[in-house]
Amino acid sequence: MATEAEEAQRDALAERLFGAALGAYELMTVHLGDRLGYYRALSEDGEVTSAELAAATGTDERYAREWLEQQAVAGIIEVDDVEAAAEERRYTLPAGHAEALVDRDSLAHVTPMARYGVSFAQTIPAVEEAFRTGGGVGWEEFGRLGRESQGDVNRPIFSNLLGSEWLPSIEDVHERLQTDPPARVADVACGAGWSSIAIARAYPKVTVEGLDLDEESVALARQNLAGTGVADRVSFEARDAGDPELAGSYQLVTVFEALHDMSRPVEVLRALRGLVAEDGAVVVMDERVADTFTAPGDEIERIMYTYSVLCCLPVGRSERPSAATGTVMRTDTLRSYATDAGFSEVEVLPIEHDVFRLYRLR
Ligand SMILES: C[S@@+](CC[C@H](N)C(=O)[O-])C[C@H]1O[C@@H](n2cnc3c(N)ncnc32)[C@H](O)[C@@H]1O
């Protein structure tokens, strides 16, 4: 028979996971609102009825009505008169919520996380299989949703912080990026390309070459580049960063949130060492995880482990041999990779961010 303490423990967990389930399901409805253009229409059109929302987005009125009611019940949107007939109720999206839901450059933008959740859910059967066989799940299996959510999750960080705060805080790099002859930047594992675009925007002289193993990501990056005003100085190419044939001499080599995903991080770092010019720098951004394993962990540790189980570890193991790093790449792990690749120092840069830590490798 369960003791009182065990019953309390049971109830606390059941309650917590009920809240988690509610959050997960609501997140999927946020994803629908994002994909169907509902939030955008609400933010542009002001007060709408279900028929007006359906007409503005080319969707079905009955479904739009159910979604509006669900979002109002969830407290994401507001309804003018709960007692009005269902078809006559008018719904609005509060301005603060609109920023979080539709402004792709806001640091509060959250819809990409919903998209990521859906992409993880779609890939679960392959991950389950990998758990049984010890195999992996390629990044390409996370599909367009995975690529787009990854790109959009980091886009506000790159467009708001990278060029205006983070790189300027590394004095010699900041100076070199502004002087002649124009600096060359290699943005390794550039994904959707937003970091490359942000660097080119911040430093009008530099040229940025983004490379990524995944051809579809390169295609997305090229698409994202169009109309940014820096297309003449940014290029994207599908390349393996671990390729020993990689050549060039760059004043800045960057790897943003990607080293832990790589099957062969040491080979990649060795190749990057060969790319950096004498007056250049290698800067790595990865997760701000704790220095040692602690359980239970804080929210950052918890979310990083979910990413690891659902995505990054299976991705890293999709090629063999694999370092099988996972999302939780601690500073000491990076140090050992960098040492094996021939670097003599890993400096933790004094840049404050809740999620990311930046390193300079020498
Ligand atoms: C989590 S995404 C990060 C993308 C981007 N840097 C960002 O911050 O949004 C990891 C990226 O690493 C790329 N990648 C993994 N191994 C690679 C390798 N050996 N060479 C080049 N790119 C690689 C993947 O294709 C993927 O686009």
Side-chain angles (χ1 to χ4, degrees):
M1 229 180 62
T3 64
E4 240 176 74
E6 284 166 346
E7 281 175 4
Q9 210 177 25
R10 174 201 66 200
D11 292 347
L13 181 67
E15 202 175 312
R16 173 181 151 187
L17 294 186
F18 175 81
L22 179 58
Y25 305 153
E26 284 184 347
L27 210 56
M28 290 186 210
T29 69
V30 167
H31 174 71
L32 270 182
D34 177 35
R35 290 319 254 195
L36 294 168
Y38 285 170
Y39 292 126
R40 182 154 298 285
L42 277 159
S43 75
E44 286 169 1
D45 300 348
E47 268 197 342
V48 292
T49 61
S50 55
E52 286 164 353
L53 181 66
T57 53
T59 57
D60 177 82
E61 187 279 332
R62 177 66 190 91
Y63 281 116
R65 189 178 353 132
E66 197 72 0
W67 182 87
L68 284 164
E69 289 177 4
Q70 177 269 328
Q71 294 282 298
V73 167
I76 297 173
I77 62 174
E78 288 170 359
V79 55
D80 66 339
D81 180 3
V82 279
E83 285 170 17
E87 288 87 346
E88 281 160 29
R89 284 181 213 132
R90 305 193 72 80
Y91 296 88
T92 47
L93 181 61
H97 291 190
E99 180 181 333
L101 294 165
V102 298
D103 182 350
R104 291 175 78 198
D105 279 317
S106 167
L107 286 165
H109 191 43
V110 283
T111 39
M113 297 198 75
R115 204 175 312 149
Y116 236 150
V118 173
S119 116
F120 293 157
Q122 285 178 346
T123 324
I124 284 268
V127 171
E128 183 184 329
E129 183 63 11
F131 265 70
R132 293 183 200 287
T133 62
V137 182
W139 173 236
E140 62 290 345
E141 291 192 48
F142 290 81
R144 193 165 176 96
L145 279 186
R147 292 184 190 97
E148 284 183 5
S149 40
Q150 172 61 39
D152 279 359
V153 155
N154 282 351
R155 172 181 154 144
I157 292 162
F158 296 139
S159 52
N160 290 287
L161 303 174
L162 180 61
S164 55
E165 289 183 26
W166 291 356
L167 291 176
S169 75
I170 318 172
E171 268 176 43
D172 61 315
V173 170
H174 181 55
E175 209 179 299
R176 182 62 190 88
L177 294 181
Q178 297 176 88
T179 52
D180 288 314
R184 287 177 73 191
V185 179
D187 187 14
V188 170
C190 61
W194 296 117
S195 48
S196 315
I197 292 166
I199 295 171
R201 277 192 159 148
Y203 297 98
K205 289 187 184 209
V206 305
T207 54
V208 187
E209 291 157 56
L211 63 94
D212 198 286
L213 192 56
D214 176 44
E215 292 198 7
E216 295 289 325
S217 292
V218 169
L220 178 62
R222 288 185 180 140
Q223 205 178 303
N224 289 335
L225 179 62
T228 57
V230 292
D232 55 333
R233 292 184 292 114
V234 178
S235 59
F236 295 109
E237 201 191 341
R239 285 295 292 266
D240 182 345
D243 183 349
E245 309 262 290
L246 271 187
S249 177
Y250 297 87
Q251 278 68 41
L252 177 62
V253 177
T254 55
V255 190
F256 295 110
E257 211 188 16
L259 199 65
H260 68 253
D261 288 305
M262 296 179 177
S263 308
R264 293 162 284 111
V266 174
E267 271 174 45
V268 169
L269 290 176
R270 199 173 290 129
L272 303 192
R273 237 186 111 234
L275 289 183
V276 66
E278 226 165 89
D279 63 343
V282 177
V283 171
V284 170
M285 177 186 96
D286 223 288
E287 323 298 8
R288 183 174 283 279
V289 290
D291 286 337
T292 52
F293 176 73
T294 39
D298 63 17
E299 285 191 340
I300 292 293
E301 214 71 1
R302 281 172 58 195
I303 199 158
M304 294 310 169
Y305 267 109
T306 62
Y307 290 154
S308 202
V309 167
L310 298 171
C311 177
C312 301
L313 184 58
V315 166
R317 298 193 82 192
S318 62
E319 281 179 21
R320 295 300 160 109
S322 169
T325 312
T327 320
V328 187
M329 182 177 73
R330 305 196 192 280
T331 299
D332 277 350
T333 306
L334 173 59
R335 279 213 172 91
S336 78
Y337 291 163
T339 306
D340 291 349
F343 287 96
S344 54
E345 193 195 333
V346 172
E347 178 192 354
V348 176
L349 293 169
I351 291 172
E352 297 292 324
H353 191 263
D354 290 345
V355 179
F356 295 118
R357 184 177 284 130
L358 281 92
Y359 303 90
R360 179 170 183 171
L361 277 48
R362 296 173 203 273

